[in-house]
Amino acid sequence: MGVTATLTLLGDAITKAQTFVNVFVSVYSLLILLYIVASWLRLPYSPWLNRIQRFLYDVSEPYLRLFRRLLPSMGPLDLSPMIGIIVLVIFGQVLIRILDQFH
């Protein structure tokens, strides 16, 4: 393989990694927002709704728990989802800029 082919493959891999980071941040932020909305709603019992709510809980709660430990308790107001999404977006942008340095 020539040098140009190697650089093209490396550039393509970096572009795909940047796309993955963008999609991951977007999808995970959406899942956190859906978890928040689902926690506000009291829906009638349905096996499918229960599975969806359980999935959203299992995916979002471990990440949000990190911020709940750090943030002081503010009564019924939970700021961990907002802080979690902000940190996730900032981390994604930093990672994209780091990957862009190799491009």
Side-chain angles (χ1 to χ4, degrees):
M1 255 166 59
V3 174
T4 57
T6 303
L7 290 176
T8 304
L9 284 174
L10 181 61
D12 187 46
I14 291 171
T15 303
K16 294 222 184 263
Q18 288 174 331
T19 303
F20 173 78
V21 170
N22 273 331
V23 169
F24 178 80
V25 168
S26 299
V27 169
Y28 203 73
S29 298
L30 180 65
L31 287 174
I32 290 173
L33 292 174
L34 288 173
Y35 171 67
I36 294 166
V37 171
S39 69
W40 288 342
L41 301 176
R42 295 291 170 221
L43 300 171
Y45 180 77
S46 166
W48 286 104
L49 290 176
N50 190 23
R51 289 179 188 139
I52 291 170
Q53 286 179 330
R54 187 65 189 173
F55 170 76
L56 292 172
Y57 176 83
D58 289 343
V59 169
S60 301
E61 191 60 32
Y63 178 67
L64 296 177
R65 200 174 305 131
L66 295 171
F67 299 102
R68 287 190 183 121
R69 289 181 191 158
L70 298 175
L71 295 172
S73 178
M74 300 184 77
L77 184 62
D78 185 14
L79 297 177
S80 62
M82 182 175 63
I83 302 297
I85 290 175
I86 290 170
V87 168
L88 187 65
V89 168
I90 290 172
F91 181 72
Q93 292 300 319
V94 167
L95 194 56
I96 287 172
R97 291 197 185 201
I98 290 171
L99 288 171
D100 205 27
Q101 297 296 319
F102 295 110
H103 218 220

